[in-house]
Amino acid sequence: MRALVTGGAGFIGANFVHWTRAHRPEVEIVVLDALTYAADGSSLGAVRDEVELIQGDIADSSLVDRLVKDVDQVFHFAAETHNDNSLTDPSPFVHTNVVGTFSLLEAVRRHDVRLHHVSTDEVYGDLELDDPERFTEATPYNPSSPYSATKAGSDLLVRAWVRSFGVAATISNCSNNYGPYQHVEKFIPRQITNVLDGIAPKLYGDGLNVRDWIHVDDHNAAVWTIAETGRSGETYLIGADGEQTNRDVVAAVLRELGKPEDAFELVRDRPGHDRRYAIDSSKLRTELGWTPTYPDFASGLKATVQWYQQNEDWWRPQKAATEAKYAKTQQ
Ligand code: NAD
Ligand code: DAU
């Protein structure tokens, strides 16, 4: 099999390439990535020479057409992904997430290539802290931010191309990922690297918002399961029962790094901040037999803290510019 991986130099995409080299070594991989601020070619590490890395925009329809016609499967990870950035400037989110996905859909339609579209649980909006329900595949779409609205738009485009044009595609909506190679703008890497730099972790609002954490390898194993055994046109939710308040995550990071658990700072809240996400992944588990392999969030977080301690060369170049950006919004 020859696979095109869009966004393969970003956090989840690069981990996907590593996972695929380790577990599906027969697959030839072509990575298409615009190498935006969020990408780092070095995240591909030892497997960099085993894949073809093409720098380009997924909205460039002639480039995408040329690449798609020579592959059997597209794994579509490329996106603008940070909610805070989407509040400052939504424009690249519309370009990449909506127009870019449209360009890929037209190419897979022309060449009859199967697509797996990687999406987010944020398309469902948020839940109250005490809501007994979790998101399922039947939850109505209700996105809050420009980021989640553009991801919702991309999901709906995929569904329409399946129904109207017979495109073979699967969709997954996953909860919050953590693990190595995640940009320091995101919550967990930001707080780990803050503590390593002697800066207090920054919690938005009251710090009681809840996210449902999953290790990136568990997400990527699920993506392969869905691509190989999922039914075309279906959506599968991916989650590992990892609900935590942001305060608890910060306390765990501080504990891991030998600091008092209350050594954090409360800062300005994110406008429109979703309160809670929670995934019910029963469909994926019962229909396709997937289960997460990381035993618990605590051990996965410990390994992630150690990775950032040991890989300062990877994150250091991004740190000052990221914090300068946050300083402008008092976050
Ligand atoms: P990321 O920001 O770390 O990486 C995104 C990658 O896409 C980068 O390498 C970037 O250069 C590339 N890219 C951006 N615009 C592009 C364009 N126009 N053309 C080609 N490449 C472009 O993101 P991530 O956290 O790895 O997320 C990957 C995917 O998973 C996204 O679709 C995201 O919506 C989805 N997702 C993320 C999470 C999470 O917790 N991070 C959870 C669920 C779903
Ligand atoms: O749920 C899946 C989504 O998870 C993905 O679709 C997104 O691409 C990904 O970025 C992530 O979105 P969040 O907005 O949940 O992630 P973020 O890391 O930005 O923030 C996680 C939580 O932590 C959120 O409640 C905001 C809060 N936060 C974030 C930062 C950066 C803080 O309290 N302090 C911070 O400094």
Side-chain angles (χ1 to χ4, degrees):
M1 185 210 262
R2 192 169 154 86
L4 178 66
V5 179
T6 71
F11 163 48
I12 304 176
N15 278 288
F16 180 81
V17 173
H18 285 284
W19 197 97
T20 304
R21 291 302 304 148
H23 300 275
R24 300 286 185 282
E26 70 286 1
V27 175
E28 281 176 43
I29 301 173
V30 181
V31 168
L32 171 60
D33 198 298
L35 300 180
T36 68
Y37 81 96
D40 191 331
S42 78
S43 303
L44 292 169
V47 300
R48 170 66 191 85
D49 294 336
E50 298 166 17
V51 303
E52 204 178 322
L53 171 59
I54 291 161
Q55 179 171 7
D57 183 349
I58 55 165
D60 176 344
S61 49
S62 57
L63 170 65
V64 165
D65 190 82
R66 229 176 328 118
L67 297 175
V68 166
K69 85 173 168 4
D70 289 333
V71 299
D72 309 292
Q73 166 84 44
V74 176
F75 294 96
H76 177 28
F77 291 89
E80 283 291 335
T81 62
H82 194 38
N83 276 299
D84 292 322
N85 292 344
S86 82
L87 296 165
T88 312
D89 179 11
S91 154
F93 289 76
V94 175
H95 173 80
T96 292
N97 302 358
V98 180
V99 180
T101 301
F102 162 72
S103 134
L104 275 166
L105 281 166
E106 285 292 80
V108 295
R109 174 187 168 201
R110 271 192 297 272
H111 300 291
D112 202 13
V113 168
R114 194 175 164 109
L115 170 75
H116 180 75
H117 175 62
V118 177
S119 193
T120 168
D121 59 357
E122 295 195 13
V123 298
Y124 299 113
D126 63 352
L127 299 162
E128 295 299 330
L129 294 179
D130 60 356
D131 192 332
E133 297 301 314
R134 297 187 290 169
F135 298 140
T136 71
E137 289 78 4
T139 305
Y141 273 39
N142 187 25
S144 312
S145 73
Y147 162 66
S148 49
T150 57
K151 289 298 291 188
S154 68
D155 293 9
L156 298 180
L157 289 176
V158 176
R159 289 182 185 191
W161 262 242
V162 169
R163 174 148 176 173
S164 300
F165 304 124
V167 158
T170 41
I171 299 175
S172 56
N173 296 81
C174 187
S175 61
N176 285 63
N177 285 219
Y178 69 96
Y181 304 113
Q182 188 170 27
H183 195 281
V184 291
E185 71 189 352
K186 301 295 196 308
F187 179 53
I188 289 180
R190 183 180 186 208
Q191 313 315 339
I192 297 170
T193 54
N194 272 359
V195 178
L196 293 175
D197 275 353
I199 304 168
K202 316 279 187 201
L203 279 167
Y204 293 173
D206 59 10
L208 295 177
N209 299 62
V210 169
R211 294 295 181 266
D212 188 355
W213 294 99
I214 181 172
H215 193 277
V216 64
D217 288 343
D218 280 335
H219 179 185
N220 283 327
V223 165
W224 264 108
T225 300
I226 296 165
E228 287 176 331
T229 60
R231 283 174 293 140
S232 179
E234 290 291 314
T235 289
Y236 299 87
L237 263 55
I238 307 174
D241 301 330
E243 281 187 70
Q244 300 278 335
T245 66
N246 292 338
R247 274 190 193 223
D248 285 343
V249 174
V250 157
V253 167
L254 285 162
R255 225 172 21 245
E256 264 327 304
L257 293 169
K259 305 281 185 229
E261 287 184 13
D262 60 355
F264 59 78
E265 190 185 330
L266 294 177
V267 297
R268 186 177 153 264
D269 205 357
R270 172 185 286 172
H273 194 177
D274 281 339
R275 197 58 167 158
R276 170 174 162 243
Y277 303 139
I279 290 268
D280 176 348
S281 55
S282 307
K283 176 178 173 182
L284 176 62
R285 294 175 193 234
T286 54
E287 282 188 21
L288 306 186
W290 172 87
T291 46
T293 56
Y294 275 76
D296 54 47
F297 176 68
S299 57
L301 183 67
K302 189 185 177 76
T304 304
V305 169
Q306 283 166 0
W307 189 88
Y308 281 90
Q309 281 180 299
Q310 290 159 8
N311 290 277
E312 182 172 346
D313 287 356
W314 183 85
W315 59 263
R316 176 60 66 195
Q318 307 291 336
K319 184 65 182 167
T322 303
E323 288 307 313
K325 205 153 70 173
Y326 278 124
K328 286 191 194 145
T329 53
Q330 289 119 44
Q331 289 176 312

